[in-house]
Amino acid sequence: VINLYTELQWLPTAPNDLSARIRAVQDATGPVGREIQAIANHALDLNQLTRLARAIDRRRKSGLELEPLTPFKLAVLGNGTMDMLSPALVASAARHGIALELVQPAYAQIAQEALSPDSAINVAKPDAVLFAMDHRALPLKLTIGDEAAATQTIEAAMSYIDMLRQGVKQHSGAACIFQSFAPPSEALFGSLDRALPGTLFNILDAINRRLAADCLGAGDVLLDIAALASTVGLAAWHDSQLWNLGKLPFGHTMIPLYADHVARTVAAMRGKSRRVLILDLDNTVWGGVIGDDGLEGIRVAEGDAIGEAHRSVQRTALDLRDRGIVLAVSSKNTDEVARTPFTNHPEMLLRLEHLAVFQANWNDKATNIQAIAEELSLGLDAMVFLDDNPAERGLVRKLLPQVAVPELPEQPDYYARTLAAAGYFEAVAFSGEDLKRAEMYQDNARRLELQKQVGGVDAYLASLGMTISFEPFDATSRARITQLINKSNQYNLTTRRYTEVEVAAAEADDSVFTLQVRLSDIFGDNGMISVVICRPNADGDWVIDSWLMSCRVLGRQVEHMVLRELCVHAAKAGARRLIGVYSPTDRNALVRDHYAKLTFALTGEEGDGTTYWELAVDSTLPDAAPMDVVRRGFDDPARDM
Amino acid sequence: MDSAEIYPRLQHVFDEVFDEEIELQPGTTAKDVEGWDSLAHIRLLMTVEREFGIKFSTLEINGLATVGDLVALIQTHKAP
């Protein structure tokens, strides 16, 4: 689990064309800041960060623009070798929208640089000075068990730090960023170290507490390296071999993580922290799909392992709201259905009054997120979007690159941790204003008008590398088919439920046409996502007895491809028409216009809202969607598509 | 592990660590490669460790002069 941190797993992995993209931004004329930021927004390792930083440096040296990245001049004073860290700092800063210029004097000149008016850093007039010191930079004397001497040591260390602060304040006026001190990974006694005055552990503990309070009081910034090192583990943080080899202050695998923390701190100082958390609902805020599983079926209860995983997402969201982060919802659902758990489920922590905007509809999420940003009058770069579905994440990243979209692990247990690890809401101060902010934006889960689709959705679909596969029912899949038939509520035209015995009967009956559909894409295999059953009537037409689909693949044009497949098989069987029926339930309003959208003609309507449709089989096939087709198990494999 | 197996993987490591394209020869030394200073040397060796799943001693890291030495060292570590 340490890899979540060291490999920055909330970011997507580096693209295959990374080197080419880095080379392209190095020499391009014109503003390439956004592209640099987009490249940096991947889980880059130390080598990749170094290469990106070199491209940025070359641009700077050639006088080329880094717009629209925000310039920030940071002086770094450390007692270890900072050279290996510097490129990582520059590249990570770009990830957070900062064009970082480093001022880096020679090794181990911390006091001279801070105190002398004509030192490199004081002359450079940086925006901030980062004191990248570990405990080896402090004048520490270990006096085991001697409380008075220990107090003196702590006082001496604090006045040394204060002297550095005063020097910088006086000579350059820059803000100071101090690092807390990671405790040692080797104990002297053992557990006693923390309690006993004069041990290294005890002294650093005291210094860290004092330093945190001083920074808060003096308006300086604390970068909590002690917490960061503890999060990944002190044994992994401290690397004696690298210290001995090259005076590297910590293990090289920690550099991308450390650099990202410096960068997010600098970005926070420039007011670039995110301010809105937009939540997906199904399988993010609760386990399961409200439209299919119903109020009783979703998992959100205390005492249920899956429920508790999703509760922790809710609790995190509420905690963030308490510190001023605005919450919103973007869900593919019917508005009314999606609101039910908030109003009627006793175990829900989140309530409608916590949400500023509530967008539940069948639009794509990029469109909805843009609407949310406009409604709140906040930029897209203030938004974070949390969604378990990789295709939704990919779409939003592609179409709205300014929105932060964390990658999520398979296990919902780690959703909240991943969101926190990404540090989107890093802040360097907290005020009473912040407390009121979430309420200021409060509008009791307002629903916005449907918006015009943002551009680029079709190109995104084409980039998904989708493969759709068609097969008749078979014994292997019978259980899953039966499950889908009995579970699907929303994308279900007739909502006819069949037992496994009845499914087997349809499978064995040669006159009945059965279809199971699977979809895979670059994110993986979605498994079986659609089921269709057609029965011939006396006129030799095919009546579509059942047509259902998983909402997970909504908006992928799967239904168009299924219709093409039906037409081909119906034609082979000599059927003249496809007859469709829509039987309304309180769950399936989503597919009321299903047949109309697929160009079926309306032939009848009943008082209860049931509609009848037909399509001539010889009519032109609907356009093929951008996906490969695989066909298995049909006696007479259809050809000539 | 055969040196014919090592060179392509090592080439990949050099491409990751250094900007310029370097054609690896057994006799290639740090002087032949722009940017191969003592810190890049550490970064290089750490990347080699990750690529081959091995761990070098400080003595080994400091004792390397040529790419040929490095390949031999990887072979020692990967010996059954």
Side-chain angles (χ1 to χ4, degrees):
Chain A
V1 187
I2 183 179
N3 294 355
L4 164 64
Y5 298 95
T6 56
E7 293 174 8
L8 318 180
Q9 283 177 351
W10 57 89
L11 295 168
T13 52
N16 292 328
D17 60 350
L18 180 75
S19 298
R21 284 175 71 177
I22 290 176
R23 255 176 268 126
V25 294
Q26 183 172 310
D27 307 312
T29 49
V32 289
R34 285 271 177 241
E35 169 64 0
I36 291 175
Q37 186 171 7
I39 296 172
N41 251 310
H42 291 94
L44 305 184
D45 66 20
L46 178 57
N47 289 322
Q48 293 163 334
L49 289 169
T50 305
R51 273 152 49 207
L52 178 59
R54 226 172 266 157
I56 295 172
D57 280 347
R58 286 194 183 141
R59 277 192 81 79
R60 208 195 304 272
K61 287 202 181 97
S62 324
L64 290 170
E65 296 284 329
L66 291 166
E67 299 265 317
L69 301 183
T70 308
F72 195 99
K73 197 188 275 189
L74 181 71
V76 182
L77 294 176
N79 58 307
T81 306
M82 300 308 291
D83 299 28
M84 208 189 279
L85 304 182
S86 321
L89 292 179
V90 170
S92 305
R95 177 181 298 144
H96 295 269
I98 300 283
L100 191 70
E101 185 187 339
L102 287 177
V103 182
Q104 229 174 349
Y107 167 67
Q109 303 288 313
I110 299 173
Q112 294 89 323
E113 284 291 332
L115 301 178
S116 154
D118 55 357
S119 69
I121 67 150
N122 284 330
V123 168
K125 294 274 177 282
D127 295 298
V129 178
L130 168 64
F131 288 95
M133 303 189 292
D134 64 18
H135 68 86
R136 289 167 287 220
L138 294 178
L140 297 184
K141 201 168 80 196
L142 301 191
T143 51
I144 310 301
D146 183 341
E147 188 157 10
T151 304
Q152 260 180 13
T153 303
I154 294 161
E155 290 303 330
M158 292 316 297
S159 46
Y160 176 68
I161 291 172
D162 199 50
M163 181 183 76
L164 300 177
R165 169 189 286 127
Q166 297 307 334
V168 167
K169 286 267 143 79
Q170 189 185 337
H171 301 306
S172 82
C176 293
I177 306 172
F178 287 102
Q179 296 185 172
S180 61
F181 298 90
S185 47
E186 300 83 15
L188 185 57
F189 293 90
S191 295
L192 187 59
D193 286 30
R194 192 189 287 272
L196 197 65
T199 64
L200 184 54
F201 204 109
N202 183 282
I203 286 173
L204 292 180
D205 234 12
I207 291 175
N208 284 340
R209 271 198 309 276
R210 289 272 298 270
L211 183 60
D214 286 1
C215 282
L216 209 54
D220 287 331
V221 175
L222 183 76
L223 177 56
D224 197 355
I225 295 304
L228 184 61
S230 305
T231 301
V232 294
L234 295 171
W237 182 263
H238 295 293
D239 188 321
S240 336
Q241 187 188 28
L242 287 175
W243 175 260
N244 296 340
L245 259 176
K247 297 291 170 283
L248 258 69
F250 44 81
H252 73 288
T253 53
M254 303 295 154
I255 294 176
L257 177 67
Y258 170 83
D260 193 74
H261 276 254
V262 173
R264 59 176 78 158
T265 303
V266 165
M269 292 170 79
R270 278 284 178 268
K272 287 179 176 290
S273 305
R274 309 250 166 194
R275 299 162 75 178
V276 182
L277 174 62
I278 302 172
L279 297 157
D280 164 56
L281 296 179
D282 290 334
N283 284 316
T284 301
V285 161
W286 53 69
V289 176
I290 183 64
D292 289 331
D293 301 325
L295 202 57
E296 305 75 29
I298 59 167
R299 317 275 297 260
V300 69
E302 191 82 53
D304 164 28
I306 293 173
E308 289 196 24
H310 294 282
R311 280 174 82 83
S312 72
V313 173
Q314 296 195 24
R315 192 165 293 117
T316 299
L318 280 176
D319 288 347
L320 285 168
R321 184 177 180 276
D322 282 346
R323 52 153 283 199
I325 303 302
V326 179
L327 303 182
V329 155
S330 171
S331 166
K332 279 191 176 169
N333 257 313
T334 306
D335 184 83
E336 193 188 323
V337 173
R339 286 174 191 255
T340 320
F342 291 93
T343 49
N344 292 356
H345 201 299
E347 300 271 0
M348 285 283 291
L349 300 173
L350 272 174
R351 296 283 157 183
L352 290 177
E353 65 259 29
H354 300 133
L355 305 168
V357 183
F358 193 97
Q359 281 294 76
N361 55 45
W362 302 101
N363 260 2
D364 70 89
K365 296 209 173 182
T367 301
N368 280 328
I369 288 171
Q370 194 156 56
I372 291 171
E374 279 164 20
E375 174 64 20
L376 297 173
S377 301
L378 290 169
L380 288 167
D381 53 8
M383 310 282 144
V384 175
F385 173 55
L386 192 73
D387 195 318
D388 67 295
N389 185 332
E392 301 289 4
R393 298 198 295 260
L395 175 86
V396 173
R397 263 192 218 117
K398 177 92 177 172
L399 301 185
L400 308 175
Q402 305 96 310
V403 176
V405 187
E407 281 297 273
L408 288 178
E410 286 290 312
Q411 291 293 323
D413 308 80
Y414 300 111
Y415 287 0
R417 179 183 288 185
T418 306
L419 177 67
Y424 299 120
F425 307 108
E426 184 85 38
V428 292
F430 182 72
S431 69
E433 288 290 292
D434 294 315
L435 272 176
K436 282 185 242 144
R437 194 163 57 203
E439 308 226 330
M440 233 162 62
Y441 284 100
Q442 209 54 52
D443 211 356
N444 286 324
R446 172 195 300 215
R447 180 174 61 171
L448 310 178
E449 292 301 309
L450 289 186
Q451 309 286 313
K452 201 164 145 272
Q453 191 183 74
V454 299
V457 175
D458 293 340
Y460 174 71
L461 289 181
S463 75
L464 284 181
M466 292 185 280
T467 299
I468 194 165
S469 78
F470 297 109
E471 279 176 88
F473 289 3
D474 60 10
T476 324
S477 303
R478 200 179 294 150
R480 172 66 181 145
I481 291 166
T482 310
Q483 189 189 32
L484 269 179
I485 285 176
N486 288 290
K487 204 184 139 189
S488 300
N489 292 314
Q490 302 189 95
Y491 209 107
N492 195 334
L493 273 299
T494 54
T495 321
R496 290 181 191 148
R497 312 299 197 191
Y498 293 118
T499 63
E500 196 160 332
V501 174
E502 289 167 318
V503 169
E507 178 190 318
D509 186 340
D510 283 342
S511 72
V512 177
F513 176 77
T514 61
L515 190 65
Q516 48 168 315
V517 187
R518 290 180 167 72
L519 186 75
S520 65
D521 56 37
I522 49 173
F523 299 111
D525 192 348
N526 294 287
M528 192 188 299
I529 44 90
S530 187
V531 166
V532 182
I533 300 172
C534 297
R535 302 180 194 274
N537 67 8
D539 302 331
D541 299 327
W542 274 16
V543 179
I544 303 169
D545 173 285
S546 295
W547 187 339
L548 50 96
M549 190 177 86
S550 159
C551 286
R552 198 174 168 80
V553 296
L554 209 70
R556 305 277 202 98
Q557 300 173 346
V558 166
E559 58 273 28
H560 295 82
M561 297 302 281
V562 169
L563 177 59
R564 283 173 66 89
E565 189 67 13
L566 290 182
C567 288
V568 169
H569 290 282
K572 295 263 172 205
R576 292 180 303 117
R577 290 179 299 184
L578 289 174
I579 310 288
V581 184
Y582 164 67
S583 318
T585 69
D586 57 358
R587 295 276 187 82
N588 72 350
L590 165 65
V591 288
R592 192 177 49 219
D593 300 324
H594 168 83
Y595 285 118
K597 284 179 190 158
L598 293 174
T599 71
F600 280 61
L602 182 66
T603 58
E605 185 163 6
E606 285 176 21
D608 66 353
T610 303
T611 48
Y612 298 91
W613 306 80
E614 67 174 50
L615 180 77
V617 166
D618 56 2
S619 65
T620 329
L621 290 176
D623 287 342
M627 57 183 91
D628 293 331
V629 176
V630 173
R631 200 171 281 118
R632 282 187 221 96
F634 295 102
D635 295 340
D636 176 19
R639 278 182 297 266
D640 311 324
M641 293 284 292
Chain B
M1 189 178 270
D2 201 335
S3 67
E5 226 179 304
I6 292 174
Y7 270 99
R9 288 171 70 181
L10 202 54
Q11 183 73 56
H12 173 71
V13 168
F14 273 75
D15 292 346
E16 284 287 306
V17 174
F18 299 104
D19 261 346
E20 57 170 329
E21 293 198 3
I22 305 146
E23 205 183 316
L24 289 187
Q25 303 289 344
T28 308
T29 69
K31 270 191 249 120
D32 303 323
V33 180
E34 196 199 323
W36 190 346
D37 55 21
S38 61
L39 279 174
H41 186 67
I42 294 177
R43 198 153 53 82
L44 172 68
L45 274 280
M46 298 303 133
T47 311
V48 171
E49 286 185 344
R50 190 181 61 181
E51 170 67 27
F52 291 92
I54 54 183
K55 181 90 182 129
F56 297 125
S57 74
T58 305
L59 209 59
E60 288 168 336
I61 293 173
N62 284 335
L64 288 171
T66 66
V67 167
D69 292 348
L70 179 54
V71 171
L73 186 59
I74 293 167
Q75 281 178 313
T76 319
H77 278 270
K78 295 302 268 187

